[in-house]
Amino acid sequence: VGHQARAVYYLDKPTIAAMNGVCAGAGMSLALACDFRVGSENARFRSVFLERNLSPDSGMSWLMTRIIGYSRALDLILTSRDVGAEEAYRLGLLDRLVPHDKLIEETTAMAKEITRWPPIAVRAAKRVTQQNLLKDLDDALRNEVHHLEYGRSAANDARESRTARSEGREPQYTGT
């Protein structure tokens, strides 16, 4: 159970869901497994599991509590009510709320913002942030040190970062 959510959550690259309609049940879980959710005014969320005499699956209970908090997640799970785009943005189910006709453009722009950074450092930043959800502060600090070293392992990108900054130009990262 939850194979799709696991596959998306554990990708080593950032993931962005573009939400333009109803997102319910396991589909909602899959969207929550993404690192970011960009939605238009047409986006709607609904847990639906209780309506089918089921408890949440596909990672919903784990993902949603970490994204919006325990009581808000439980509210949405136990009431199975519709959550419109404005409320979803306010709760944190959506990270960005954009006009429907700009959804793909804004989602693509977000992806471009992320991909301008060194890919190894981006992977390290994603992974350390995910892992530190489950750690106490001391373990989290040790985990950050580990991922800092991993991020620095791309020597060419480190050099390109310094060179581009000193030359006043946009860096071109290769992941090496």
Side-chain angles (χ1 to χ4, degrees), residues 64-129:
M64 193 162 36
T65 56
R66 282 157 177 79
I67 294 168
I68 66 172
Y70 170 79
S71 63
R72 287 178 170 177
L74 197 58
D75 170 23
L76 300 186
I77 290 168
L78 295 182
T79 64
S80 196
R81 64 185 175 82
D82 274 344
V83 176
E86 289 286 336
E87 183 181 9
Y89 178 69
R90 186 174 47 78
L91 291 173
L93 291 172
L94 290 176
D95 298 297
R96 297 187 184 183
L97 181 57
V98 301
H100 181 72
D101 62 339
K102 300 277 188 195
L103 179 62
I104 300 304
E105 179 183 331
E106 293 290 332
T107 303
T108 303
M110 182 181 197
K112 286 180 180 178
E113 283 180 61
I114 295 166
T115 59
R116 63 181 232 147
W117 302 116
I120 300 297
V122 168
R123 285 186 200 130
K126 174 181 173 169
R127 193 62 64 221
V128 74
T129 303

Side-chain angles (χ1 to χ4, degrees), residues 13-168:
K13 295 174 177 61
T15 55
I16 306 171
M19 317 297 299
N20 68 352
V22 177
C23 187
M28 182 175 171
S29 297
L30 188 59
L32 295 173
C34 290
D35 299 306
F36 306 101
R37 286 154 307 284
V38 179
S40 76
E41 65 271 10
N42 298 335
R44 247 180 348 124
F45 292 84
R46 189 177 186 115
S47 66
V48 305
F49 288 104
L50 289 179
E51 297 173 41
R52 289 158 178 75
N53 195 37
L54 299 169
S55 64
D57 75 358
S58 301
M60 181 180 285
S61 63
W62 190 87
L63 293 161
M64 193 162 36
T65 56
R66 282 157 177 79
I67 294 168
I68 66 172
Y70 170 79
S71 63
R72 287 178 170 177
L74 197 58
D75 170 23
L76 300 186
I77 290 168
L78 295 182
T79 64
S80 196
R81 64 185 175 82
D82 274 344
V83 176
E86 289 286 336
E87 183 181 9
Y89 178 69
R90 186 174 47 78
L91 291 173
L93 291 172
L94 290 176
D95 298 297
R96 297 187 184 183
L97 181 57
V98 301
H100 181 72
D101 62 339
K102 300 277 188 195
L103 179 62
I104 300 304
E105 179 183 331
E106 293 290 332
T107 303
T108 303
M110 182 181 197
K112 286 180 180 178
E113 283 180 61
I114 295 166
T115 59
R116 63 181 232 147
W117 302 116
I120 300 297
V122 168
R123 285 186 200 130
K126 174 181 173 169
R127 193 62 64 221
V128 74
T129 303
Q130 284 179 327
Q131 291 171 355
N132 282 348
L133 284 170
L134 303 175
K135 298 183 180 295
D136 65 23
L137 180 57
D138 291 334
D139 287 340
L141 292 170
R142 282 188 289 279
N143 196 29
E144 284 180 349
V145 168
H146 169 76
H147 282 83
L148 280 170
E149 294 302 317
Y150 174 71
R152 290 181 187 143
S153 69
N156 292 326
D157 283 350
R159 189 172 26 266
E160 173 65 5
S161 180
R162 288 187 305 273
T163 303
R165 192 169 38 250
S166 71
E167 294 176 356

